[in-house]
Amino acid sequence: MRWLLALAGIIVSTDLIASPSACGYLVQSMAGAPSGPVLLASYPSEHSGPLSGAAFTYDNAVTAIALVACHQPALARRIGDSLLLALDHDRFWHDGRVRNAYAAGAVGDSPFKLAGWWDVRSQRWLEDGYQAGSDSGNIAWAMLALLTLDASTGDLRYRAGALRLARWVEGRADSRGAGGFTGGDFGHEPNPQHLQWKSTEHNTDLAAAFQRLARVTGDVHWDERARNAREFVRSMWDTDSGYFAVGAAEDGVRINPLLALDAQIWPLMAMPGAADQYSAAIQTSDRRLQFDAGYTYSEAGGGLWSEGTAQVAVLLELLHRESAARAVIAALQTQRAPDGGYFASNVAETPTGFMLATDPSKPRVYFHLEHLGATAWAALSEQRFNPFTGRSALPP
């Protein structure tokens, strides 16, 4: 018998909730959250330190897109509405940006709280400088989430929110080297650091977000912005080595040649014709980034990266490479947590090849913790849904 659950006025099938699927886990997570606009914790098992109670904008944006893919637009709207509220209720900024992370939980009309923690050594409350900032890529993902909601609900508030975000992030346009957009802002108000490096991943995100904005608004200005971002990504292609470099250094020109997985997979999903033109990126990833039948974050190696493994699965599904996709999904399934979520990594710490922005003496790693972003990408794989296009297809 099929039972139905009334959730905050929304009817959700318990078939989906009971299913051992990533979609079901996301629905359960929303069911367990306070009613109304909400942001989900990115690492729900963490209860101390910088990750405790932190709702990263990127993870929540991908989750909103995944909920649309899982045929749960009403649940996705609760996250989308939080992003809209964040635009109007920052404790300092009112210029069209959102921050990299907030405190998880219900949100409303009061100023948005940032996640934080009590530091025993210094005997004071601390906030993370990265979480207080605004990365260009995270802004782009918030745009993609709002544009996905615009398309699925017809609610023009989401399109208007995406436009506000676009107007802020276009201020990070750069004329040095191959152009494109710089990394965003790092640190607390009132004087954050303006990041001068440029990321292949960020520009890929922006290329897709600007292109979708151009399509729904009919404004060629955003076509031009999408072209700026795409040209930077294309300039990062190394024909001889068959991969995209991760970006340009602080001078905006010198290339950082690190091989990272998302910089290979995302352009092929986001940019028209890229899956054919840059197909060697898949071969390079297979040759140099495979780990335990899945994939690691970068050539730094060290562990399976669940989120990236799911990203490869989505791309392979969109390319109709069914056998290869099944093998990757099988590797991904080994990272299921007992409650149905996914661990970020299969080892204690998977290095990324980057250092922490908040402490450049320490490496940035993915921990063996349940991760909302990894679960959301697993749900996208289940639904064969491309978050860059908002449908089950590569860009035309």
Side-chain angles (χ1 to χ4, degrees):
M1 181 178 293
R2 188 178 185 188
W3 296 87
L4 295 176
L5 170 69
L7 173 63
I10 301 163
I11 302 301
V12 180
S13 168
T14 53
D15 291 347
L16 181 57
I17 293 176
S19 171
S21 69
C23 282
Y25 174 88
L26 295 179
V27 170
Q28 282 182 311
S29 297
M30 295 298 291
S35 60
V38 70
L39 293 171
L40 297 178
S42 291
Y43 297 93
S45 64
E46 278 297 276
H47 302 293
S48 64
L51 298 180
S52 61
F56 285 88
T57 296
Y58 163 78
D59 294 328
N60 277 270
V62 180
T63 298
I65 298 170
L67 285 167
V68 171
C70 296
H71 311 291
Q72 298 295 330
L75 297 182
R77 290 184 73 141
R78 295 174 60 195
I79 295 175
D81 289 348
S82 296
L83 295 175
L84 294 182
L85 285 167
L87 282 166
D88 288 323
H89 297 284
D90 192 86
R91 67 186 185 189
F92 183 87
W93 302 114
H94 302 94
D95 59 359
R97 76 179 77 188
V98 293
R99 304 201 188 223
N100 291 330
Y102 298 97
V107 297
D109 293 340
S110 11
F112 268 39
K113 295 180 180 179
L114 271 66
W117 71 101
W118 180 255
D119 183 70
V120 176
R121 179 176 297 179
S122 64
Q123 288 293 293
R124 60 195 179 106
W125 184 259
L126 298 179
E127 292 177 351
D128 183 83
Y130 170 78
Q131 294 178 25
S134 301
D135 267 15
S136 297
N138 294 333
I139 297 289
W141 276 98
M143 289 173 61
L144 289 169
L146 293 176
L147 291 168
T148 300
L149 283 164
D150 171 58
S152 64
T153 69
D155 188 335
L156 294 179
R157 295 180 305 126
Y158 299 120
R159 186 182 306 182
L163 270 168
R164 292 174 65 186
L165 291 165
R167 291 180 184 126
W168 183 84
V169 78
E170 72 170 329
R172 273 56 192 166
D174 189 53
S175 60
R176 300 170 300 160
F181 297 81
T182 58
D185 284 6
F186 171 83
H188 290 82
E189 64 274 18
N191 297 306
Q193 175 189 356
H194 300 309
L195 302 172
Q196 296 303 305
W197 47 260
K198 292 180 285 190
S199 162
T200 300
E201 174 214 314
H202 287 190
N203 278 273
T204 299
D205 308 337
L206 289 168
F210 285 143
Q211 193 63 63
R212 286 176 66 178
L213 193 59
R215 188 175 303 117
V216 298
T217 63
D219 188 343
V220 296
H221 172 77
W222 302 116
D223 274 318
E224 182 59 30
R225 288 310 194 197
R227 189 176 304 111
N228 296 154
R230 280 198 305 270
E231 288 308 309
F232 175 81
V233 175
R234 294 185 188 282
S235 76
M236 292 296 106
W237 179 252
D238 184 327
T239 301
D240 293 336
S241 300
Y243 76 93
F244 291 98
V246 294
E250 288 286 333
D251 64 3
V253 177
R254 182 170 52 88
I255 291 176
N256 180 346
L258 180 72
L259 171 63
L261 185 64
D262 51 7
Q264 314 315 309
I265 302 305
W266 289 9
L268 275 59
M269 297 172 66
M271 300 192 332
D276 291 329
Q277 185 175 357
Y278 302 112
S279 60
I282 303 176
Q283 299 160 18
T284 302
S285 299
D286 287 345
R287 187 173 68 254
R288 297 175 58 182
L289 298 178
Q290 276 199 336
F291 191 98
D292 286 353
Y295 293 80
T296 193
Y297 182 92
S298 76
E299 58 189 334
L304 185 146
W305 182 37
S306 301
E307 182 185 336
T309 299
Q311 292 163 12
V312 174
V314 174
L315 175 60
L316 293 173
E317 289 166 335
L318 296 172
L319 291 171
H320 306 292
R321 293 177 53 179
E322 308 295 344
S323 177
R326 283 195 297 272
V328 174
I329 291 168
L332 177 64
Q333 292 305 311
T334 67
Q335 301 313 305
R336 290 299 293 272
D339 65 358
Y342 285 76
F343 293 110
S345 168
N346 69 334
V347 296
E349 296 183 0
T350 292
T352 62
F354 295 103
M355 306 305 286
L356 276 176
T358 48
D359 185 350
S361 68
K362 295 180 180 178
R364 181 162 70 85
V365 302
Y366 278 94
F367 297 103
H368 183 64
L369 297 171
E370 280 193 54
H371 181 208
L372 179 65
T375 307
W377 272 99
L380 291 170
S381 173
E382 287 175 1
Q383 301 301 314
R384 298 171 175 253
F385 193 87
N386 186 346
F388 296 103
T389 62
R391 59 185 187 275
S392 298
L394 293 168

